[in-house]
Each structure stands twice: as C-alpha cells, then as structure tokens.
C-alpha cells in the first residue's frame, strides 16, 4: 500500500518525478529573491498566476527604508503579474494558506522551510529555495524525489497541562535534528483523531526540525469540519496499511510539559528540570503556536494576573486577531500587561520587534532556538503555550498547572 507521499506524487519512494504544483507561495523575503531570479531568466509573463501567492509576513511593517522599498517593488510586481497578495498585517504565510486555501490532496510548495505545516490537511506540502520558486512560477511545475516515510504513531489522549507542542518536541527529540532527513512524517494512530486542526498544524510544522521533507495527517472529519468553517468542501482520506521505513510510537497520555534548551531543538527535557531559569522575555506566536487556540489557552492562564517579564504576543493572522478581539481573548492578554504585535512572524527570525540583547534569555513558542537566531548573544528555550503563560507570570520557567 502507498504512503501519502507516494499516493500524491504517483511513484514509489526513491523515484524522481515531475509534478504540477497546485499552490506556490513566497513571502516578503524570498519573494524578492524569486522576483530577481525571474528577471535573470527573462520571464515576464507567468502562465498560472492563479496558483501563486505572495504573503508579507517576515519583516512587517517594514523596519527600514531599504526593506520598505523592496516590499513596495514586490507589491507592484504582484499587481501587474496577477499574483494574489496578502499584505502586511494579513498574517504568516502558512497560517494564511491554512485558512481555506490548501485542501486535501494538493501539492503545495512554499519558499519557506516551514511549508510542511500545511501537510496537516492531507496535502503534500514542502519548502524550496527562492530560485526553485522562480522556476515554479515560470513553469507551474517542479521535480521531487519521492521520500521514504516514517510513521509517528499517536495513541491515547493528551492529559494534564500537556499540549500538541509538547508532542512535537517529543518526536523531534526522538528522531533528532537529522534523523528524518528527506523523509516524510505521517502522523497516524488512534490518537491522531483527538488532535485539533490547530494542534495538527503545530505537529506538522516541526517536521522540518528533524530534517523531514513534510509532515502529514490523513484528512478526516476534523479536517472536513475545519475547512467547511472556511467555506471549503472536502472529503476524508482513507488511511492505508502503508509500508513505513520506521515507526516512532508516542503514547499521548505519557506526554508532560517539555522544553527544548539552547541551542538545539532536539535537546529536550521535562519543564520541571529547568524550572526556575531566569527569563528576560516570553514570546508567544509564530507559525508554530500563534493560532486562536493558542491565544485562547494563553489568555485563560494569564486572565486576572500580571506578567512579571516582558511578554510579546503575535497573532498568526488577521483572522486570528479578529477572533481574539471578538471573544475577549485579546483583552485578557492586554490587561495582563503583554505587548501585542502585528500579525506576522515578529521576533522569530531576529529581524525586528523583539530582538534579544546580549545575554538575555527568552522562552518562546516558536520552532527554533539556534544560537543568535533572535539576537546575537541571546538564549532561547522552546516550550508550549501553557508553559510560556505560566512562566510569563512568574518571570522564570514554570511548569504549568491544568487549566
């Protein structure tokens, strides 16, 4: 039986195939590079602009005059070429694509490594470089080596204060940062059905932190209901008895709050082992944990309290922000003393809006804690939203209680 990757790409693992791309997108950083590559290729007219997207999310609003000029040029190009543009404040590319754009069975390619996030919909979604994206814009297709597949078998249900981010840290620790290089991860097992769509996006998002090409769930009733809420009709996919290269077994009932310590994503320990670690900043957001479910969880924990350390909260999209406003979630976050940023990537890449100073320590709900990522000389710990919320209140890494 075929894995999802083999079924979508139409060939056994290890073979090379050319395939049309259903959706191809870039952001304000990689889009500039893709546009320049198109100029060098002499390509002016794009054959399938309806399949293309540009999303301004990495450095928005612009932080310098140079950035603003580059964004203005890319904005103009989107207008004349017919590429749909999500401008500053619209949100992170992966979240924008998850709000009714990507559907089960699609082949999705983004000029960003965390495009694997969208495999949560039962799509083959992967990241490429900017020049590869230019070639896709010019031709409408690209080549793939069909990846071997590793199963992440989820059993049981989460309990206590644990959440999908803790599961993601657990499987990254198990596989290691290179343990799934050019593989696909399939999240299967009885426990998968109990993971919300927001949680599935978190789990798929961190597949690339193991070196994987993509991370995928089978579309099921949870997927269908989520897409229906975004005006998209979809059908469930029937899981097959596939042949996997290996299986990582995770009992969700055994998962506890975890933390990745500097400077590797796969160096993971239980939160209680680093409890009491001093913090200068807490950051909640990114394509990993900036969705509504994340903000609502954070708000429940900080409601009626005050944060003891500077705490930055960046919604993943405008729709997430709007829902947080409508439900009172945002008011709880602001009243707790947090700084709310524009929908987008924010401090995650260390470009602006929350860069760390020398020797400062941040607890982040992002997906990477590499040395100097959020600021030269800073240290980054990664955690779930619940752990981040509990820690923001105390000013030190704190094990969350059940909320």
């Amino acid at each position: 039986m075929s894995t999802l990757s083999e079924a979508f790409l139409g060939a056994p693992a290890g073979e090379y195939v050319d395939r049309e791309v259903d959706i191809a997108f870039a952001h304000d950083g990689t889009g500039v590079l893709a546009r320049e590559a198109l100029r060098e290729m002499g390509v002016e007219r794009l054959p399938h602009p309806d399949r293309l997207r540009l999303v301004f999310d990495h450095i928005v609003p612009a932080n310098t005059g140079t950035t603003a000029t580059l964004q203005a040029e890319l904005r103009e190009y989107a207008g004349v070429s017919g590429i749909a543009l999500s401008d500053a404040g619209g949100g992170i590319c992966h979240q924008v694509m998850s709000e009714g754009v990507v559907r089960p069975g699609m082949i999705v390619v983004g000029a960003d490594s965390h495009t694997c996030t969208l495999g949560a919909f039962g799509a083959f979604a992967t990241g490429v470089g900017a020049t590869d994206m230019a070639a896709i814009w010019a031709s409408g297709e690209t080549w793939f080596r069909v990846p071997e597949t590793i199963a992440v078998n989820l059993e049981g249900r989460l309990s206590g204060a644990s959440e999908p981010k803790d599961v993601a840290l657990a499987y990254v620790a198990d596989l290691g940062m290179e343990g799934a290089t050019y593989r696909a991860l399939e999240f299967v097992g009885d426990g998968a059905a109990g993971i919300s769509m927001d949680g599935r996006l978190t789990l798929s998002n961190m597949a690339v932190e193991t070196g994987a090409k993509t991370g995928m769930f089978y579309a099921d009733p949870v997927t269908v209901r989520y897409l229906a809420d975004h005006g998209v009709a979809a059908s469930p996919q029937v899981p097959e008895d596939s042949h996997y290269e290996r299986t990582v077994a995770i009992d969700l009932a055994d998962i506890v709050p975890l933390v990745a310590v500097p400077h590797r994503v796969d160096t993971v320990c239980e939160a209680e082992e680093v409890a009491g670690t001093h913090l200068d900043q807490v950051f909640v957001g990114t394509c990993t944990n900036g969705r509504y479910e994340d903000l609502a969880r954070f708000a429940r924990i900080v409601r009626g309290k005050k944060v003891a350390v500077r705490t930055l909260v960046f919604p993943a999209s405008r729709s997430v922000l709007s829902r947080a406003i409508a439900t009172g979630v945002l008011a709880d976050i602001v009243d707790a003393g947090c700084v709310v940023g524009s929908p987008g990537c924010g401090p995650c890449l260390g470009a602006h809006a929350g860069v760390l100073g020398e020797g400062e320590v941040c607890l982040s709900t992002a997906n990477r804690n590499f040395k100097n990522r959020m600021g030269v000389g800073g240290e980054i710990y990664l955690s779930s939203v619940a752990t981040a919320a509990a820690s923001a209140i105390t000013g030190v890494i704190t094990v969350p209680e059940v909320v």
Side-chain angles (χ1 to χ4, degrees):
M1 296 291 188
S2 298
T3 64
L4 281 171
S5 294
E6 290 170 330
F8 295 163
L9 297 178
E15 289 197 10
Y16 290 82
V17 297
D18 293 317
R19 290 291 176 265
E20 287 192 351
V21 174
D22 295 300
I23 295 290
F25 63 89
H27 52 66
D28 47 307
T30 55
V32 169
L33 299 174
R35 172 57 183 140
E36 182 60 33
L38 283 170
R39 284 197 188 98
E40 293 177 0
M41 293 162 59
V43 174
E44 291 301 327
R45 184 178 178 277
L46 304 178
H48 304 290
D50 56 309
R51 303 182 193 172
L52 312 181
R53 303 287 191 280
L54 273 169
V55 183
F56 285 11
D57 63 359
H58 269 50
I59 309 179
V60 292
N63 61 342
T64 67
T66 299
T67 301
T69 299
L70 291 171
Q71 291 182 3
E73 292 174 355
L74 195 57
R75 191 177 288 116
E76 180 182 9
Y77 177 68
V80 300
S81 64
I83 301 176
L85 170 68
S86 174
D87 213 326
I92 302 172
C93 53
H94 315 298
Q95 179 63 22
V96 172
M97 294 298 108
S98 78
E99 294 173 351
V101 178
V102 173
R103 301 185 298 278
M106 278 186 164
I107 295 177
V108 181
V109 179
D112 185 276
S113 60
H114 288 103
T115 303
C116 56
T117 304
L118 298 164
F121 291 102
F124 184 87
T126 194
V128 298
T131 51
D132 287 324
M133 182 55 63
I136 293 169
W137 285 4
S139 66
E141 62 180 35
T142 190
W143 66 271
F144 300 96
R145 178 189 176 277
V146 182
E148 290 79 9
T149 298
I150 296 172
V152 181
N153 192 64
L154 306 176
E155 297 296 339
R157 297 185 68 87
L158 290 169
S159 61
S162 60
E163 58 186 79
K165 178 60 169 293
D166 298 306
V167 183
L169 292 173
Y171 83 70
V172 172
D174 189 306
L175 288 167
M177 287 174 57
E178 298 177 352
T181 299
Y182 214 100
R183 275 30 177 202
L185 303 185
E186 278 190 22
F187 298 96
V188 296
D190 294 341
I195 305 292
S196 70
M197 202 65 231
D198 281 1
R200 295 178 189 193
L201 289 162
T202 295
L203 286 167
S204 295
N205 173 272
M206 292 194 67
V208 72
E209 307 312 329
T210 68
K213 192 75 173 169
T214 189
M216 309 167 77
F217 280 80
Y218 281 88
D220 65 2
V222 173
T223 321
V224 172
R225 286 194 298 272
Y226 177 95
L227 289 172
D229 289 342
H230 287 85
V232 175
S235 300
Q237 296 162 331
V238 179
E240 298 189 5
D241 186 16
S242 304
H243 173 72
Y244 298 116
E245 184 178 73
R246 62 171 288 199
T247 297
V248 174
I250 296 179
D251 187 338
L252 298 177
D254 292 338
I255 296 294
V256 298
L258 300 174
V259 171
V261 303
H263 298 283
R264 290 179 63 96
V265 186
D266 59 357
T267 306
V268 175
C269 65
E270 293 186 9
E272 64 180 18
E273 295 180 47
V274 288
T277 300
H278 166 80
L279 298 173
D280 297 289
Q281 178 171 295
V282 171
F283 171 39
V284 176
T286 79
C287 56
T288 313
N289 281 126
R291 287 172 273 279
Y292 177 77
E293 187 177 281
D294 301 311
L295 269 56
R297 183 182 299 110
F298 183 87
R300 285 196 301 272
I301 296 172
V302 303
R303 184 179 295 132
K305 303 179 178 69
K306 294 293 183 181
V307 297
V309 62
R310 72 175 184 270
T311 302
L312 314 180
V313 179
F314 281 63
S317 73
R318 179 176 285 113
S319 68
V320 169
L321 175 59
S322 295
R323 188 178 176 190
I325 293 171
T327 57
V329 162
L330 192 71
D332 289 332
I333 292 171
V334 171
D335 290 346
C338 303
V339 176
V340 178
S342 172
C345 300
C348 180
L349 63 156
H352 73 147
V355 175
L356 299 177
E358 178 77 32
E360 287 195 310
V361 180
C362 178
L363 182 65
S364 169
T365 66
N367 42 45
R368 287 177 176 162
N369 61 346
F370 305 149
K371 190 173 183 178
N372 300 330
R373 178 171 173 83
M374 289 179 64
V376 176
E379 292 193 345
I380 308 164
Y381 291 77
L382 303 179
S383 78
S384 69
V385 171
T387 301
S391 302
I393 294 168
T394 62
V396 298
I397 294 180
T398 301
V399 180
E401 298 177 356
V402 180
V403 178

